[in-house]
Amino acid sequence: MKTYRITDIIEDEFGCEGRPEGEEPMVTILLVDDTGKQRSIRMADKLAYEKKLDIGAEMELPEEEVMTLNGKEYKVKKLLGKGKGGYSYLVTDGEKEYVLKQIHHEPCSYYQFDNKLEAEKGIINGLWKLELPCQSCLISMKHRNAF
């Protein structure tokens, strides 16, 4: 286990439409360890409240974060960022590095998606056509839940 300090807690935003019926409120918790390595986890808002998690608090997590996509495990090296459609992570399978895009289902008040997966595929194909460095990109439609 490794100790992390909470640097931010981001609540899902659903704009005018509100949270879809039956969907549990979730938060994204941004963390940093004593070396400056960043990490993020998702958990139910209720659970974060029950655990009394707040900015500046410390929490213990397994040392390596692993994401599974299509039955294959990838070690998360770094959270690259969050965009309108999802989270981007730098991951490795032990041989190569990839960008793993995890699509979230949070509505964006200033942008409407017809199909987020197709939008992401189009962006990646556009980068390849422009011959910009986009070696490998993996896409996951799952929410990542912690605990």
Side-chain angles (χ1 to χ4, degrees):
M1 298 291 274
K2 188 169 183 105
T3 302
Y4 292 86
R5 184 178 46 80
I6 298 172
T7 59
D8 203 358
I9 299 176
I10 304 167
E11 297 179 358
D12 288 350
E13 296 180 23
F14 292 97
C16 318
E17 298 82 17
R19 186 182 328 86
E21 190 175 318
E23 187 170 316
E24 182 175 22
M26 300 290 289
V27 293
T28 300
I29 300 174
L30 303 181
L31 307 150
V32 66
D33 69 11
D34 58 354
T35 68
K37 181 180 174 189
Q38 297 177 352
R39 183 169 174 182
S40 71
I41 60 170
R42 299 236 336 131
M43 74 169 52
D45 184 51
K46 180 181 176 182
L47 181 59
Y49 181 78
E50 288 170 1
K51 290 181 170 283
K52 298 180 179 167
L53 299 180
D54 203 356
I55 295 171
E58 292 186 346
M59 63 186 308
E60 296 273 321
L61 293 173
E63 201 145 332
E64 288 189 351
E65 181 179 9
V66 175
M67 298 176 103
T68 302
L69 181 64
N70 298 327
K72 187 170 181 179
E73 290 189 344
Y74 298 90
K75 178 182 169 191
V76 176
K77 295 183 82 173
K78 181 179 181 179
L79 169 67
L80 298 173
K82 176 187 176 191
K84 295 183 295 271
Y87 297 87
S88 297
Y89 298 90
L90 178 63
V91 300
T92 182
D93 63 2
E95 294 179 20
K96 291 174 55 180
E97 290 184 339
Y98 305 89
V99 173
L100 191 147
K101 299 277 292 188
Q102 187 176 50
I103 307 299
H104 61 61
H105 302 289
E106 303 163 18
C108 181
S109 61
Y110 57 89
Y111 194 87
Q112 295 296 319
F113 291 94
D114 291 325
N115 182 318
K116 286 184 181 181
L117 181 59
E118 291 304 316
E120 289 293 337
K121 287 180 180 178
I123 291 166
I124 294 164
N125 287 332
L127 292 171
W128 285 335
K129 285 179 186 174
L130 293 172
E131 297 181 9
L132 293 174
C134 184
Q135 298 291 333
S136 298
C137 190
L138 310 168
I139 301 176
S140 169
M141 292 292 287
K142 290 187 202 175
H143 274 290
R144 188 175 84 244
N145 297 311
F147 305 99

